[in-house]
Amino acid sequence: PFLSYEKIALLPAKVREIYEKHGIRIRPCSDLDRMLDVWTNMDGKFENLPPDKKVKANHAYRVLHAIVDCAGQTKIVEPLRRIAENSLRLGEPEPSSGKDLLFELELLQYMRYRKVVARLDEPDIVVAAPFGEYFVACQTIYSLENFEKQLSSGTRQIERHGAGVI
């Protein structure tokens, strides 16, 4: 989806409202708090930012947009909590449940924009397919060393629910 800078600048207030509605505190100086600050009072300054700041602004946009787009999900509280409490440093290879949950929200967002009926639920995302529910286990690979472990974990998640994909 295309959003103008003016609409993106509204995302911080919407995210804060979503967190407030669910009673989840955003810690000062957390990654999420810093991302909210990036777009608060941007006022058309994006084009004049140096490249490194533009990258940070784009990362912040991805996070804020995914949160706002998926806020209506019934199982959104735990993802919101984990996103607020954990690292969201997208360019770093260290594992983080915050980044893992962001990936789930972005994948759900991607599916929904393509008219796939899907929702947040166990194991991670459930797709309404013509033959019934199809389960998606999201596993983030941070290194080749954890590939097999993540694949095994995803396999166990799918086996508990039925047909699906990792």
Side-chain angles (χ1 to χ4, degrees):
F2 174 79
L3 294 179
S4 66
Y5 294 131
E6 291 80 21
K7 288 188 179 183
I8 295 170
L10 300 175
L11 293 176
K14 290 179 182 179
V15 169
R16 286 184 178 99
E17 183 181 310
I18 290 163
Y19 272 82
E20 199 172 292
K21 173 185 169 190
H22 292 290
I24 301 169
R25 183 175 175 263
I26 299 171
R27 288 180 295 111
C29 299
S30 66
D31 286 347
L32 180 58
D33 184 57
R34 284 190 204 110
M35 290 181 174
L36 289 163
D37 286 345
V38 166
W39 281 101
T40 301
N41 301 318
M42 180 67 78
D43 295 334
K45 300 173 200 165
F46 183 83
E47 292 301 327
N48 298 324
L49 293 175
D52 62 318
K53 301 267 191 215
K54 284 184 179 179
V55 169
K56 286 182 181 181
N58 280 320
H59 284 173
Y61 161 72
R62 281 179 52 196
V63 172
L64 303 181
H65 191 225
I67 290 169
V68 170
D69 260 10
C70 297
Q73 294 290 305
T74 58
K75 306 256 177 159
I76 194 67
V77 174
E78 187 57 27
L80 291 175
R81 185 172 284 115
R82 286 174 49 192
I83 287 170
E85 293 173 355
N86 294 283
S87 171
L88 296 172
R89 293 183 202 112
L90 303 177
E92 296 180 6
E94 289 81 29
S96 159
S97 65
K99 290 189 291 189
D100 294 349
L101 259 295
L102 174 61
F103 173 72
E104 291 175 25
L105 293 185
E106 286 186 314
L107 182 59
L108 177 64
Q109 187 181 30
Y110 180 87
M111 290 174 172
R112 293 174 62 215
Y113 276 111
R114 279 145 189 86
K115 307 295 184 215
V116 174
V117 179
R119 69 182 190 278
L120 288 177
D121 207 343
E122 291 295 326
D124 294 316
I125 297 173
V126 178
V127 175
F131 54 82
E133 292 185 329
Y134 192 70
F135 301 94
V136 180
C138 297
Q139 297 296 321
T140 308
I141 308 301
Y142 291 100
S143 70
L144 289 175
E145 290 78 31
N146 84 340
F147 177 79
E148 197 169 317
K149 180 181 174 191
Q150 294 296 85
L151 193 58
S152 294
S153 175
T155 301
R156 284 190 302 278
Q157 284 180 288
I158 296 297
E159 286 175 339
R160 285 194 298 264
H161 296 282
V165 64
I166 301 167

